[in-house]
Amino acid sequence: MEIWEFIDSAARRINERERKINSMLQNLAFLREIQLNEFGSPELSEERFVFKIPEEKINGKVAGVDSGFCMRSFSGIDIMLVRTAGVVFEFKNSSLSRVDYLPKNIELPKPILREGLEKDEAFSSESVMRLMEELEIGIKLIENYRPDFLLLDGSIVPQYADKPRKDSKVIDEYHQLIEKFQELYSKAIKNRCKVVGCVEDSRGSRLRQIIEEQILAKKGINIKELNQILDSRLVAGILRKGERSFAFKYSPNIAKHPILVDMEEKFAENIYVFYLKASEFDMPLRLEFIAANNNITKEADKIASLCYALSSLHRGYSYPSVLIEADLRARLQSNEIEIVFSRIANRISPALKMRRSSRPF
Amino acid sequence: MRKEVGVVVSTQDSPSVSEVNFVITQNTVKRGSYVEIDYDEGTMICLVTQLIKTNRYFERADSVKEIETNNEIARNFPIAEWEFLVAKAKPLGCLAELGKKKIVKRVSLPPAPGSKVFAAEKKNLFNFLGLDENGLNLGNVEFHDIEMKVNMDSLLRKHLAIVAMSGAGKSYLVSVLIEELLERKKELGRLAIVVIDPHGEYTGFAEPTEEYANYSHQTNLVRGQDIRISLANNFGLLQKLLGKISTTQKRILSEAFNSLKEEMKKGNGPFSLEELKERILSEAKNEKTRNIASALEELIKLKIFAKTDNPSLLDIVKPAQLTIIDLSDIIDMKKKTVIVDYVASRLFHERRRKHIPPFLLVVEEAHQFAPEKVSKEEAISKGIIRTIAREGRKFGACLALVSQRPVYLDTTALAQCNTKIILRLTNPYDVDHVSKSSEAIDADAKNMITSLRVGEALIVGEAVNAPVFFNVRQRKSMPSKHEISLEEQARMFEEFMEEANREAEAYL
């Protein structure tokens, strides 16, 4: 197949798939109206599928953490540069009245050197080190600024890919990361701070499974193509701007979850997820939190209300402003990266550089 | 105590030997101000040519519009935290130590990113720019508390051009220059000043005054209508005015002129143009002599040639004396150019013979007297202006060409003016023409010329080591009548008319 034919074919397939999804989503439109409690499933922890987000004025402190990261390898030595930025926005009557940063100034990235790691270990180590830095700053933000919310860029649970093999050299680091997460959860609960994980472009499929198993199956509906789409695309077709999905448990069975199994039950059992549509033309945001009590709806509404207010500033892009600011401060500039790596490269033998960076053409 | 104003940042093109960008930490840096940076070669002096405010939150127009449509960005993001003022500066040179002295060197290395940037220190800047404690004080270096004292020799010896659009302050600046030259101490060397004044803008110098500095005792005002040129001593000028005449006519003219001159030497006294015409016609009455006589008749109508010079330039061109040639009462352009040609030639030749002191000849509306792309016959004075521009420096004959249309000014004469003072100039052709005639005016300086305010000037060339923006100082002399506002002129006119009517009624 020539490239031009391939492009035509690929575009055709994407459009076809979109048509199918849209038609399928029309069949699921009834989800907007149904009462979930009539299904009697413990997985359906709220009354309805769709909730209108209550509009509330923002008052108080909202913190955010993000990091910028870069890794390169020289002769089996992995050098990572990471810069983490903590931001605290203080709102009065929904207007930003004060900003604090941790660290105060934009500092040079922190270098981390790792040696002798396999490729998969290097990947998981990279992620673990980055999360460790973010959690460290998150904990300090809670201690120093006592925010009402702490928003993390990404999940509040490590990902499958972050967990190394049991015999890996970085397994200890992973366990330290789990400890650090739990330290953050504890610190947040103690200080009445709600930790929220904000995930853009989520590739999760848990909500789809709940719909299939707990709703459609019980109604005798079988939609074959449903398993081809991700949660975010699914809820994008169901939710309208200013709405959220019901909150559901991160995992139905923590004993079978590869990450949650490593966590204390009091945390793992109470991690909830919902989707929020904050912008007309952007995918819904996946928001994760640890429920402090049994009133999931109240907690989810409170979080949704805050994140909606912080994220609904642009019709084509939704993300909390505090995390946008953290990203701006944490982002590594290409010249910062080049200064470090080119100086290292200049001091070592060309033979020690990665082969791909020594290609003559 | 040095005042730190910024830090050098690293960008794709900076820092280099031709450009240094720095982020401003103290909001005192202005476009056109000078900063200094310590680096390997000494202290680099830079001119701030551009200031750019950046803010990451406002980089994408679509996002800004989108967010501003329903919300205010400032209500949701800490925009002030992301606002940076970045200055683009041009390295002009470096002050380096040579024993106990500081010398000005070319920049051959860039400063390091992260270097501290300071506001240029007064002493350093004064030395670097090549200013002179005994120089002519034209004003103040913009944004710096430094008097713009320019060395007289550097400013005038290789000639000066002052260009600006109408109303930008050219005559004001020339007046300031004249004041400085008139007040100069004898031991510092004083020039004679002659001003070609087509609009009578400098006549105030000749008027006694108590309100302003009184220069009347140092000023000679010569009305254009009163100027007479001795025919006997200016045969060359006569020939030039007659233009292209045949060889036979030239011979007839020479014979008649020489015969009258012979008679003059024998004691008959000087002769007039009328007498020359009569002599030609008395020799023979044919077509050729009638043609010359007819041409001479045209010149007689100009009332410019006479038996003797009036005034005698030798008597009035003296050190620290100002001679104003007021041409405002002459309408005929040819007559004006004849006078300028005569005055300039006479000054140049008398100076070569050392009969008069070194002088500065200020030619206002110089594009009228040394125009570009105009035939020799039409531009009678262009030749001598070019000559002085080319050769004057050897004899202490200095030119200051003043023009509002430099594009129409003779390129050769303008190019010979080694120092240029440019005030507000907006016509792109003029800006281009001036910048092409001076390598010191780069693209940044060109942009800045168009945004100069009245009274602000840029000096480039021989007189200074680097381009300097300065504010022209307050004049001390009586302001020109042309500086009176339109409202005031209208009011004065009506008052004058009312007074005239009252007198007429009283008389009746």
Side-chain angles (χ1 to χ4, degrees), chain A residues 89 91 93-96 99 101 106 312-315 321 324-325 328-329 331 333 335, chain B residues 10-11 56-57 62-64 66-68 70-71 74-79 81-82 84:
Chain A
F89 280 7
F91 289 93
N93 210 15
S94 292
S95 271
L96 186 60
V99 183
Y101 297 109
I106 298 176
S312 59
L313 305 172
H314 194 291
R315 281 180 303 163
S321 55
I324 292 174
E325 175 71 4
L328 283 178
R329 290 181 75 86
R331 197 181 294 171
Q333 303 297 315
N335 55 355
Chain B
S10 175
T11 63
R56 282 208 207 171
Y57 275 114
D62 56 338
S63 298
V64 174
E66 184 64 42
I67 297 173
E68 279 293 303
N70 300 313
N71 305 276
R75 273 166 60 92
N76 294 288
F77 294 99
I79 51 172
E81 297 287 334
W82 291 95
F84 298 105

Short mmCIF file of all heavy atoms in Angstrom, two decimals, chain A residues 89 91 93-96 99 101 106 312-315 321 324-325 328-329 331 333 335, chain B residues 10-11 56-57 62-64 66-68 70-71 74-79 81-82 84:
data_model
loop_
_atom_site.label_atom_id
_atom_site.label_comp_id
_atom_site.label_asym_id
_atom_site.label_seq_id
_atom_site.Cartn_x
_atom_site.Cartn_y
_atom_site.Cartn_z
N PHE A 89 -2.47 28.72 45.15
CA PHE A 89 -3.35 29.84 44.78
C PHE A 89 -4.30 30.08 45.96
O PHE A 89 -4.92 29.13 46.44
CB PHE A 89 -4.21 29.50 43.56
CG PHE A 89 -3.51 29.62 42.23
CD1 PHE A 89 -2.15 29.87 42.15
CD2 PHE A 89 -4.24 29.50 41.05
CE1 PHE A 89 -1.52 29.97 40.91
CE2 PHE A 89 -3.62 29.61 39.81
CZ PHE A 89 -2.26 29.84 39.74
N PHE A 91 -7.73 32.00 46.87
CA PHE A 91 -8.86 32.67 46.22
C PHE A 91 -9.72 33.38 47.25
O PHE A 91 -9.95 32.88 48.35
CB PHE A 91 -9.73 31.64 45.49
CG PHE A 91 -9.08 31.08 44.26
CD1 PHE A 91 -8.34 29.91 44.31
CD2 PHE A 91 -9.20 31.72 43.04
CE1 PHE A 91 -7.74 29.38 43.18
CE2 PHE A 91 -8.61 31.20 41.89
CZ PHE A 91 -7.87 30.03 41.96
N ASN A 93 -13.52 34.98 46.96
CA ASN A 93 -14.68 35.22 46.11
C ASN A 93 -14.39 34.86 44.64
O ASN A 93 -14.70 35.62 43.73
CB ASN A 93 -15.10 36.68 46.23
CG ASN A 93 -16.59 36.82 46.03
OD1 ASN A 93 -17.33 35.84 46.07
ND2 ASN A 93 -17.02 38.04 45.78
N SER A 94 -13.74 33.76 44.46
CA SER A 94 -13.39 33.22 43.13
C SER A 94 -12.32 34.02 42.39
O SER A 94 -12.06 33.77 41.23
CB SER A 94 -14.62 33.08 42.23
OG SER A 94 -15.44 32.08 42.73
N SER A 95 -11.74 35.00 43.04
CA SER A 95 -10.65 35.75 42.39
C SER A 95 -9.32 35.39 43.05
O SER A 95 -9.24 35.30 44.28
CB SER A 95 -10.86 37.25 42.55
OG SER A 95 -11.62 37.72 41.49
N LEU A 96 -8.33 35.23 42.22
CA LEU A 96 -7.01 34.90 42.74
C LEU A 96 -6.47 36.09 43.53
O LEU A 96 -6.36 37.19 42.99
CB LEU A 96 -6.09 34.61 41.54
CG LEU A 96 -4.69 34.12 41.83
CD1 LEU A 96 -4.72 32.81 42.60
CD2 LEU A 96 -3.92 33.92 40.52
N VAL A 99 -0.49 34.33 45.53
CA VAL A 99 0.18 33.15 44.98
C VAL A 99 1.46 32.89 45.76
O VAL A 99 2.20 33.83 46.07
CB VAL A 99 0.57 33.37 43.49
CG1 VAL A 99 1.21 32.12 42.92
CG2 VAL A 99 -0.64 33.74 42.67
N TYR A 101 4.86 30.06 46.02
CA TYR A 101 5.55 29.01 45.28
C TYR A 101 6.48 28.22 46.20
O TYR A 101 7.05 28.78 47.13
CB TYR A 101 6.39 29.62 44.16
CG TYR A 101 5.57 30.35 43.11
CD1 TYR A 101 5.62 31.73 43.02
CD2 TYR A 101 4.75 29.65 42.24
CE1 TYR A 101 4.86 32.41 42.08
CE2 TYR A 101 4.00 30.32 41.29
CZ TYR A 101 4.06 31.70 41.21
OH TYR A 101 3.31 32.36 40.28
N ILE A 106 12.29 29.81 40.56
CA ILE A 106 12.46 28.71 39.60
C ILE A 106 13.94 28.32 39.66
O ILE A 106 14.81 29.11 39.32
CB ILE A 106 12.07 29.15 38.18
CG1 ILE A 106 10.60 29.54 38.15
CG2 ILE A 106 12.37 28.05 37.17
CD1 ILE A 106 10.10 30.09 36.84
N SER A 312 -12.58 25.51 33.62
CA SER A 312 -13.51 25.83 32.52
C SER A 312 -13.24 27.22 31.94
O SER A 312 -14.16 27.96 31.66
CB SER A 312 -14.94 25.75 33.03
OG SER A 312 -15.10 26.66 34.10
N LEU A 313 -11.97 27.54 31.74
CA LEU A 313 -11.65 28.88 31.28
C LEU A 313 -11.57 28.97 29.76
O LEU A 313 -11.55 30.03 29.18
CB LEU A 313 -10.30 29.33 31.88
CG LEU A 313 -10.24 29.25 33.41
CD1 LEU A 313 -8.83 29.52 33.90
CD2 LEU A 313 -11.20 30.23 34.04
N HIS A 314 -11.48 27.82 29.12
CA HIS A 314 -11.25 27.79 27.68
C HIS A 314 -12.18 26.75 27.08
O HIS A 314 -12.31 25.65 27.63
CB HIS A 314 -9.78 27.41 27.45
CG HIS A 314 -9.29 27.65 26.06
ND1 HIS A 314 -9.72 26.91 24.99
CD2 HIS A 314 -8.40 28.55 25.58
CE1 HIS A 314 -9.11 27.34 23.89
NE2 HIS A 314 -8.31 28.35 24.23
N ARG A 315 -12.83 27.08 25.96
CA ARG A 315 -13.79 26.13 25.39
C ARG A 315 -13.11 24.88 24.83
O ARG A 315 -13.70 23.83 24.74
CB ARG A 315 -14.58 26.81 24.27
CG ARG A 315 -15.69 27.70 24.79
CD ARG A 315 -16.41 28.33 23.64
NE ARG A 315 -15.49 29.07 22.80
CZ ARG A 315 -15.74 29.47 21.57
NH1 ARG A 315 -16.89 29.18 21.02
NH2 ARG A 315 -14.85 30.16 20.89
N SER A 321 -6.26 25.68 36.64
CA SER A 321 -5.29 26.78 36.45
C SER A 321 -4.07 26.60 37.35
O SER A 321 -2.95 26.93 36.95
CB SER A 321 -5.95 28.12 36.73
OG SER A 321 -6.53 28.12 38.01
N ILE A 324 -1.76 24.40 35.61
CA ILE A 324 -1.16 25.07 34.44
C ILE A 324 0.03 25.92 34.91
O ILE A 324 1.11 25.92 34.33
CB ILE A 324 -2.20 25.94 33.71
CG1 ILE A 324 -3.27 25.04 33.05
CG2 ILE A 324 -1.54 26.84 32.67
CD1 ILE A 324 -4.43 25.79 32.40
N GLU A 325 -0.19 26.62 36.03
CA GLU A 325 0.89 27.46 36.58
C GLU A 325 2.06 26.59 37.05
O GLU A 325 3.23 26.91 36.80
CB GLU A 325 0.33 28.29 37.75
CG GLU A 325 1.36 29.14 38.50
CD GLU A 325 1.87 30.32 37.72
OE1 GLU A 325 1.37 30.55 36.59
OE2 GLU A 325 2.80 31.00 38.20
N LEU A 328 4.03 25.50 34.07
CA LEU A 328 4.88 26.57 33.52
C LEU A 328 6.18 26.70 34.30
O LEU A 328 7.24 26.95 33.74
CB LEU A 328 4.14 27.92 33.54
CG LEU A 328 3.08 28.14 32.47
CD1 LEU A 328 2.40 29.49 32.66
CD2 LEU A 328 3.71 28.09 31.08
N ARG A 329 6.07 26.54 35.61
CA ARG A 329 7.27 26.70 36.44
C ARG A 329 8.19 25.47 36.41
O ARG A 329 9.39 25.58 36.57
CB ARG A 329 6.88 27.02 37.89
CG ARG A 329 6.30 28.41 38.04
CD ARG A 329 5.95 28.71 39.46
NE ARG A 329 7.11 28.98 40.30
CZ ARG A 329 7.69 30.16 40.42
NH1 ARG A 329 7.24 31.18 39.74
NH2 ARG A 329 8.74 30.33 41.22
N ARG A 331 8.35 23.18 33.86
CA ARG A 331 8.77 22.76 32.52
C ARG A 331 10.26 23.03 32.28
O ARG A 331 10.75 24.12 32.55
CB ARG A 331 7.93 23.52 31.50
CG ARG A 331 7.94 22.94 30.13
CD ARG A 331 7.10 23.80 29.22
NE ARG A 331 5.69 23.79 29.57
CZ ARG A 331 4.80 24.62 29.00
NH1 ARG A 331 5.18 25.50 28.12
NH2 ARG A 331 3.53 24.55 29.35
N GLN A 333 13.41 23.87 30.08
CA GLN A 333 13.65 24.56 28.82
C GLN A 333 14.74 23.79 28.06
O GLN A 333 15.64 23.21 28.67
CB GLN A 333 14.12 25.99 29.07
CG GLN A 333 13.14 26.81 29.89
CD GLN A 333 11.80 26.99 29.22
OE1 GLN A 333 11.72 27.29 28.04
NE2 GLN A 333 10.72 26.77 29.96
N ASN A 335 17.24 24.79 26.48
CA ASN A 335 18.64 25.21 26.71
C ASN A 335 19.17 24.71 28.05
O ASN A 335 20.34 24.40 28.19
CB ASN A 335 18.80 26.72 26.57
CG ASN A 335 17.88 27.51 27.45
OD1 ASN A 335 17.04 26.92 28.11
ND2 ASN A 335 18.02 28.82 27.46
N SER B 10 20.65 33.92 28.15
CA SER B 10 21.17 33.18 27.01
C SER B 10 20.02 32.90 26.04
O SER B 10 19.02 32.30 26.39
CB SER B 10 21.75 31.87 27.53
OG SER B 10 22.15 31.07 26.47
N THR B 11 20.16 33.40 24.82
CA THR B 11 19.20 33.09 23.77
C THR B 11 19.98 32.59 22.56
O THR B 11 21.22 32.54 22.61
CB THR B 11 18.39 34.34 23.35
OG1 THR B 11 19.30 35.30 22.80
CG2 THR B 11 17.66 34.96 24.52
N ARG B 56 4.24 34.53 29.42
CA ARG B 56 3.86 33.25 28.83
C ARG B 56 2.35 33.09 28.73
O ARG B 56 1.85 32.40 27.85
CB ARG B 56 4.41 32.11 29.69
CG ARG B 56 5.87 31.87 29.45
CD ARG B 56 6.15 30.41 29.75
NE ARG B 56 7.53 30.24 30.15
CZ ARG B 56 7.98 29.10 30.63
NH1 ARG B 56 7.19 28.08 30.79
NH2 ARG B 56 9.24 28.99 30.96
N TYR B 57 1.63 33.72 29.64
CA TYR B 57 0.18 33.57 29.62
C TYR B 57 -0.45 34.30 28.43
O TYR B 57 -1.61 34.08 28.13
CB TYR B 57 -0.42 34.10 30.92
CG TYR B 57 -0.41 33.06 32.02
CD1 TYR B 57 0.37 33.22 33.15
CD2 TYR B 57 -1.19 31.91 31.90
CE1 TYR B 57 0.38 32.26 34.15
CE2 TYR B 57 -1.19 30.95 32.89
CZ TYR B 57 -0.40 31.12 34.02
OH TYR B 57 -0.40 30.17 34.99
N ASP B 62 -5.07 33.05 20.47
CA ASP B 62 -6.36 32.36 20.51
C ASP B 62 -6.78 32.06 21.95
O ASP B 62 -7.93 32.25 22.33
CB ASP B 62 -6.32 31.07 19.67
CG ASP B 62 -5.20 30.13 20.10
OD1 ASP B 62 -4.24 30.61 20.73
OD2 ASP B 62 -5.29 28.93 19.82
N SER B 63 -5.80 31.65 22.76
CA SER B 63 -6.13 31.33 24.16
C SER B 63 -6.51 32.57 24.93
O SER B 63 -7.44 32.56 25.74
CB SER B 63 -4.94 30.65 24.84
OG SER B 63 -4.65 29.46 24.19
N VAL B 64 -5.77 33.65 24.68
CA VAL B 64 -6.05 34.90 25.40
C VAL B 64 -7.47 35.34 25.08
O VAL B 64 -8.25 35.68 25.98
CB VAL B 64 -5.04 36.00 25.01
CG1 VAL B 64 -5.42 37.33 25.63
CG2 VAL B 64 -3.63 35.62 25.45
N GLU B 66 -9.94 33.56 24.00
CA GLU B 66 -10.89 32.57 24.52
C GLU B 66 -11.14 32.80 26.01
O GLU B 66 -12.28 32.86 26.45
CB GLU B 66 -10.30 31.17 24.30
CG GLU B 66 -11.19 30.04 24.70
CD GLU B 66 -12.46 29.96 23.90
OE1 GLU B 66 -12.39 30.16 22.68
OE2 GLU B 66 -13.52 29.74 24.50
N ILE B 67 -10.07 32.94 26.76
CA ILE B 67 -10.22 33.07 28.21
C ILE B 67 -10.81 34.43 28.56
O ILE B 67 -11.64 34.56 29.44
CB ILE B 67 -8.87 32.82 28.92
CG1 ILE B 67 -8.44 31.38 28.65
CG2 ILE B 67 -9.00 33.04 30.42
CD1 ILE B 67 -7.07 31.02 29.14
N GLU B 68 -10.39 35.46 27.82
CA GLU B 68 -10.88 36.80 28.12
C GLU B 68 -12.35 36.97 27.77
O GLU B 68 -13.02 37.86 28.27
CB GLU B 68 -10.05 37.84 27.37
CG GLU B 68 -8.72 38.17 28.06
CD GLU B 68 -8.90 38.88 29.38
OE1 GLU B 68 -9.53 39.93 29.42
OE2 GLU B 68 -8.41 38.36 30.41
N ASN B 70 -14.92 35.12 28.48
CA ASN B 70 -15.82 34.89 29.61
C ASN B 70 -15.21 35.20 30.97
O ASN B 70 -15.92 35.42 31.93
CB ASN B 70 -16.26 33.41 29.60
CG ASN B 70 -16.99 33.07 28.33
OD1 ASN B 70 -17.86 33.81 27.90
ND2 ASN B 70 -16.58 31.99 27.69
N ASN B 71 -13.95 35.19 31.02
CA ASN B 71 -13.28 35.40 32.32
C ASN B 71 -12.15 36.38 32.13
O ASN B 71 -11.74 36.68 31.03
CB ASN B 71 -12.68 34.08 32.82
CG ASN B 71 -13.72 33.00 32.88
OD1 ASN B 71 -14.44 32.90 33.83
ND2 ASN B 71 -13.79 32.19 31.84
N ALA B 74 -6.49 37.62 34.55
CA ALA B 74 -5.89 38.07 35.81
C ALA B 74 -6.63 37.54 37.03
O ALA B 74 -6.06 37.44 38.11
CB ALA B 74 -5.85 39.59 35.85
N ARG B 75 -7.90 37.21 36.86
CA ARG B 75 -8.66 36.69 38.01
C ARG B 75 -8.32 35.23 38.29
O ARG B 75 -8.62 34.70 39.35
CB ARG B 75 -10.17 36.79 37.74
CG ARG B 75 -10.76 38.13 38.12
CD ARG B 75 -12.14 38.26 37.51
NE ARG B 75 -13.05 37.20 37.98
CZ ARG B 75 -13.84 37.32 39.03
NH1 ARG B 75 -13.84 38.42 39.72
NH2 ARG B 75 -14.64 36.32 39.37
N ASN B 76 -7.74 34.59 37.30
CA ASN B 76 -7.52 33.14 37.42
C ASN B 76 -6.06 32.70 37.42
O ASN B 76 -5.75 31.59 37.84
CB ASN B 76 -8.24 32.42 36.27
CG ASN B 76 -9.74 32.58 36.39
OD1 ASN B 76 -10.35 31.99 37.25
ND2 ASN B 76 -10.32 33.43 35.55
N PHE B 77 -5.20 33.54 36.86
CA PHE B 77 -3.79 33.16 36.78
C PHE B 77 -2.90 34.26 37.35
O PHE B 77 -3.24 35.44 37.22
CB PHE B 77 -3.39 32.90 35.32
CG PHE B 77 -4.06 31.72 34.70
CD1 PHE B 77 -5.16 31.89 33.88
CD2 PHE B 77 -3.62 30.43 34.96
CE1 PHE B 77 -5.80 30.80 33.31
CE2 PHE B 77 -4.26 29.34 34.38
CZ PHE B 77 -5.35 29.52 33.56
N PRO B 78 -1.77 33.89 37.91
CA PRO B 78 -0.86 34.92 38.47
C PRO B 78 -0.02 35.54 37.35
O PRO B 78 1.18 35.33 37.26
CB PRO B 78 0.00 34.11 39.45
CG PRO B 78 0.03 32.74 38.87
CD PRO B 78 -1.26 32.53 38.14
N ILE B 79 -0.66 36.30 36.50
CA ILE B 79 0.03 36.79 35.29
C ILE B 79 1.23 37.68 35.61
O ILE B 79 2.22 37.67 34.89
CB ILE B 79 -0.93 37.52 34.34
CG1 ILE B 79 -1.72 38.59 35.09
CG2 ILE B 79 -1.86 36.57 33.64
CD1 ILE B 79 -2.52 39.47 34.20
N GLU B 81 3.39 37.35 37.77
CA GLU B 81 4.59 36.54 38.05
C GLU B 81 5.36 36.18 36.78
O GLU B 81 6.52 35.83 36.83
CB GLU B 81 4.18 35.23 38.73
CG GLU B 81 3.51 35.40 40.08
CD GLU B 81 4.49 35.80 41.16
OE1 GLU B 81 5.68 35.49 41.02
OE2 GLU B 81 4.05 36.46 42.12
N TRP B 82 4.67 36.26 35.65
CA TRP B 82 5.28 35.82 34.39
C TRP B 82 5.64 36.96 33.46
O TRP B 82 5.96 36.75 32.31
CB TRP B 82 4.35 34.83 33.69
CG TRP B 82 4.25 33.56 34.42
CD1 TRP B 82 3.31 33.21 35.32
CD2 TRP B 82 5.18 32.48 34.38
NE1 TRP B 82 3.57 31.97 35.82
CE2 TRP B 82 4.73 31.49 35.26
CE3 TRP B 82 6.37 32.25 33.67
CZ2 TRP B 82 5.40 30.29 35.46
CZ3 TRP B 82 7.03 31.05 33.86
CH2 TRP B 82 6.56 30.10 34.75
N PHE B 84 8.03 39.60 32.15
CA PHE B 84 9.46 39.90 32.17
C PHE B 84 9.75 41.01 31.17
O PHE B 84 9.16 41.05 30.09
CB PHE B 84 10.28 38.67 31.77
CG PHE B 84 10.12 37.53 32.70
CD1 PHE B 84 9.35 36.44 32.36
CD2 PHE B 84 10.71 37.56 33.95
CE1 PHE B 84 9.18 35.38 33.23
CE2 PHE B 84 10.54 36.51 34.83
CZ PHE B 84 9.78 35.42 34.47
#
